[in-house]
Amino acid sequence: MSPDERQKAFDDAVAFVYKAYPQMDGRGQLYDHWAECNYYQQHVINLADSFMEEHRASKSFRATWKFCELVNQSQRFLYETNLMNDLKKLCEINTIAVDTLDEADRRDDLKASVLSHQANLYESIGKVDQAIEWNQQAYQIRLNQKPPKYHLISSFENNLGFCYNTANKHDTAFEYFKKAEATWHGQGLPCPVVILKNMARGLLYLKRLDEARALLKTCIDGFRNEDTLNWAMVAYSAYFALGLIDRREGKFESAEATFIEAQNLWLKGDLKELHPFNGACMYKTGAVCLDQGKVEAAIKHLRDSIKVTEKHMKLMPVEHARSLFKLSEALTQDPQYESEAEGFRDKAEKNLRERDPSATDFGSEEPYDLLIPIFWR
């Protein structure tokens, strides 16, 4: 085929897959469409590979906005399902593709979206400073757009908030959540529940536990009153955070039930069992079982957690280290497991040092928690 024929064939294939691939809902999420996204995902990857092959062969080969938007939708799916290597690859390709677009408005929109997904990726794997930098770049793009797209400005204020939470800068995080809320109120609109639940979690890390609990319960009611239950957000932030509050207040039995409820909500459907959040739910359940002296139950939950965290050990060593550390604590309660406990403790320290070579404190949950993304900390 001639170069023009190759361009047309590529654009036609993109248009076909673009029409079939699920679109993000009004919340910018794809949680209810994972099975469909997964079905079409290989087609998106093949198109992305084809684009790079053609672009390397001829700099005149260009992307269409449909291609960039299709890859953008796919990026969201990959982030939600924690397929980080594929996400990194598609973000890099989309960055190149976006630069070939002629339409300035669409180019800016898509550039901000790619930066957002790159930030999500890096926050998830513990490189939060880079995540904040990319979110700030995208935030400036949104602030400079005319007319202002307030819902997108608010989205980046929210993103910066949870990234600063992960960076353990909780006062700054809360300032961004308040900005996100004010952006909506400035338009005479109520703040979306998805932002309020992040604000509630921010209150938790500011040690304002009563306020956090009250707002989380309001958010759960808000989620349950929506036309379609946002099960992921209810599990991720609402029930999981309530469990954290219960544990801090010494309500271990209630915390155990709440972490189990978070996990049950999360596991509605396919593709979720190996997600780090599922591992975190099992970890927290095991931890509060140990708080109650339920050693056998703690060991079971923590062993189950390790089966998940070891799948992500290369990119997320601290999650695995945390589960190993807590399992070693549980095993030391039974003399028959003394040798096994020591081995798990050594592995935990080794994995923690992979993320933080200067680490010297290995004897509590805190040094592990401080390096884990806020959604499953």
Side-chain angles (χ1 to χ4, degrees):
M1 291 189 291
S2 69
D4 287 345
E5 289 172 331
R6 296 179 75 84
Q7 179 78 65
K8 184 178 186 308
F10 177 79
D11 294 346
D12 288 346
V14 165
F16 184 75
V17 179
Y18 174 82
K19 187 171 183 179
Y21 200 91
Q23 300 293 300
M24 284 184 269
D25 60 25
R27 300 169 295 206
Q29 299 171 351
L30 284 167
Y31 289 105
D32 292 327
H33 302 284
W34 280 7
E36 301 162 76
C37 293
N38 192 52
Y39 182 80
Y40 293 111
Q41 191 59 34
Q42 191 57 50
H43 294 294
V44 179
I45 291 173
N46 287 342
L47 285 170
D49 288 340
S50 295
F51 170 78
M52 287 306 299
E53 183 180 346
E54 296 293 342
H55 185 70
R56 281 191 290 264
S58 172
K59 296 305 178 187
S60 65
F61 193 86
R62 308 182 72 79
T64 61
W65 71 266
K66 283 187 177 180
F67 171 75
C68 297
E69 184 57 38
L70 171 63
V71 176
N72 182 49
Q73 301 290 327
S74 174
Q75 289 163 190
R76 177 67 200 189
F77 165 68
L78 295 171
Y79 167 61
E80 290 179 0
T81 52
N82 204 65
L83 297 171
M84 295 303 177
N85 288 322
D86 285 344
L87 175 57
K88 183 175 185 292
K89 172 184 174 179
L90 287 193
C91 284
E92 290 170 350
I93 292 173
N94 214 5
T95 298
I96 295 168
V98 166
D99 283 339
T100 72
L101 296 177
D102 292 325
E103 308 100 315
D105 287 346
R106 278 187 166 142
R107 188 170 60 243
D108 286 345
D109 268 342
L110 287 159
K111 187 175 291 186
S113 293
V114 175
L115 285 167
S116 173
H117 288 135
Q118 288 177 312
N120 290 340
L121 160 65
Y122 273 69
E123 187 265 344
S124 295
I125 63 174
K127 298 181 179 180
V128 69
D129 290 339
Q130 180 63 70
I132 290 170
E133 181 180 334
W134 273 328
N135 268 324
Q136 288 285 8
Q137 289 179 30
Y139 184 43
Q140 288 304 313
I141 290 173
R142 295 303 186 198
L143 289 174
N144 292 334
Q145 288 179 315
K146 305 296 180 187
K149 299 178 180 180
Y150 291 107
H151 65 294
L152 296 174
I153 290 172
S154 175
S155 176
F156 278 100
E157 290 164 343
N158 175 65
N159 290 354
L160 281 161
F162 73 70
C163 279
Y164 276 111
N165 270 151
T166 293
N168 303 305
K169 298 176 180 179
H170 302 304
D171 289 319
T172 303
F174 197 72
E175 289 172 11
Y176 273 103
F177 292 137
K178 295 298 288 184
K179 281 185 179 182
E181 181 184 39
T183 298
W184 283 92
H185 290 334
Q187 302 306 299
L189 297 170
C191 186
V193 182
V194 73
I195 293 175
L196 293 176
K197 56 88 182 171
N198 284 338
M199 185 181 294
R201 189 179 51 235
L203 287 166
L204 158 64
Y205 287 99
L206 291 173
K207 300 180 181 179
R208 294 159 60 177
L209 301 187
D210 290 341
E211 294 173 76
R213 184 185 293 279
L215 185 52
L216 283 170
K217 289 184 175 179
T218 298
C219 290
I220 290 173
D221 290 340
F223 282 128
R224 293 195 179 279
N225 287 331
E226 292 180 348
D227 292 337
T228 303
L229 177 66
N230 195 338
W231 54 265
M233 293 298 101
V234 177
Y236 248 151
S237 299
Y239 276 101
F240 194 79
L242 277 175
L244 296 177
I245 294 172
D246 282 340
R247 191 181 182 202
R248 287 196 180 191
E249 293 180 340
K251 301 172 182 175
F252 301 129
E253 188 174 348
S254 175
E256 179 185 351
T258 306
F259 288 131
I260 290 172
E261 178 65 15
Q263 183 185 19
N264 288 339
L265 280 164
W266 180 256
L267 290 177
K268 291 184 178 225
D270 298 326
L271 306 175
K272 306 177 183 76
E273 289 188 6
L274 293 181
H275 195 286
F277 180 69
N278 187 39
C281 288
M282 291 186 284
Y283 164 80
K284 290 293 185 183
T285 304
V288 294
C289 281
L290 192 59
D291 291 336
Q292 299 171 75
K294 296 158 62 174
V295 177
E296 288 187 16
I299 290 172
K300 177 191 178 301
H301 289 300
L302 292 166
R303 287 195 191 277
D304 288 342
S305 175
I306 283 172
K307 292 176 185 177
V308 175
T309 58
E310 68 182 356
K311 301 292 184 184
H312 306 284
M313 187 168 55
K314 186 173 181 180
L315 287 177
M316 299 177 174
V318 181
E319 282 84 339
H320 192 51
R322 180 173 70 168
S323 290
L324 289 168
F325 163 74
K326 203 64 185 176
L327 179 56
S328 74
E329 274 200 336
L331 292 172
T332 57
Q333 306 297 311
D334 189 330
Q336 68 175 313
Y337 295 123
E338 183 177 348
S339 176
E340 189 180 10
E342 185 177 339
F344 283 135
R345 179 65 177 268
D346 290 343
K347 289 179 181 177
E349 293 182 9
K350 177 177 179 292
N351 282 322
L352 181 60
R353 285 198 189 96
E354 284 185 25
R355 179 56 48 79
D356 181 9
S358 65
T360 57
D361 179 10
F362 306 100
S364 68
E365 294 174 53
E366 185 176 14
Y368 302 92
D369 277 347
L370 290 174
L371 297 175
I372 286 176
I374 204 68
F375 284 149
W376 49 79
R377 179 177 293 188

